[in-house]
Amino acid sequence: MSARFRRCGHGSGPLHLGDHKVVAEFTAMLTARQRPAPWTGHGDVAVRITPDGRALERGRPTEGQPPDADPVALVLIHPDTETALTGTLHCARARIHGAWTEPYRLLTHALAGLDLPPDIDLST
């Protein structure tokens, strides 16, 4: 007797439970990307680090900074382990996509297993 296995998203028939999870995560990411939660100056932010704005990273503002500061001094952190990936960077408010939410995790360099670009410039 042979067992029949199929990969998520491939094959005919109804969706597998794994397929439902992947579709739900992707839909949540698209929704968060299109309608970001506004950042109020407190908490973590989703920062666009590439010129095309596709990649987002999790940034944490430094302590004691006013909520309306421009540029914002922040540190990019790993979305899962919350360890610092960079030193303090000065980020223009125009680069802030919105408040950090879990669906943005799919768009980070860390999830893709990539290192951050060495010449990150968030000043513009």
Side-chain angles (χ1 to χ4, degrees):
M1 179 181 227
S2 64
R4 185 171 182 208
F5 296 99
R6 68 183 180 93
R7 293 175 137 172
C8 291
H10 299 284
S12 60
L15 289 176
H16 184 269
L17 291 176
D19 293 334
H20 287 290
K21 180 181 178 192
V22 170
V23 169
E25 287 177 355
F26 187 72
T27 303
M29 184 270 301
L30 288 177
T31 301
R33 182 87 172 138
Q34 291 172 353
R35 292 185 294 274
W39 184 59
T40 60
H42 303 286
D44 293 350
V45 296
V47 180
R48 293 185 298 271
I49 63 163
T50 56
D52 61 8
R54 291 184 183 174
L56 295 174
E57 294 296 330
R58 185 176 186 175
R60 181 164 291 156
T62 57
E63 294 290 327
Q65 154 170 245
D68 59 347
D70 191 12
V72 179
L74 54 83
V75 175
L76 297 182
I77 60 173
H78 192 282
D80 297 329
T81 62
E82 297 196 9
T83 57
L85 300 174
T86 63
T88 302
L89 300 171
H90 295 284
C91 175
R93 284 184 88 79
R95 286 282 191 130
I96 295 175
H97 184 69
W100 176 263
T101 58
E102 194 59 31
Y104 292 139
R105 186 177 161 271
L106 296 174
L107 299 171
T108 63
H109 280 73
L111 186 69
L114 303 173
D115 292 330
L116 290 171
D119 55 346
I120 296 176
D121 181 20
L122 302 176
S123 60
T124 58

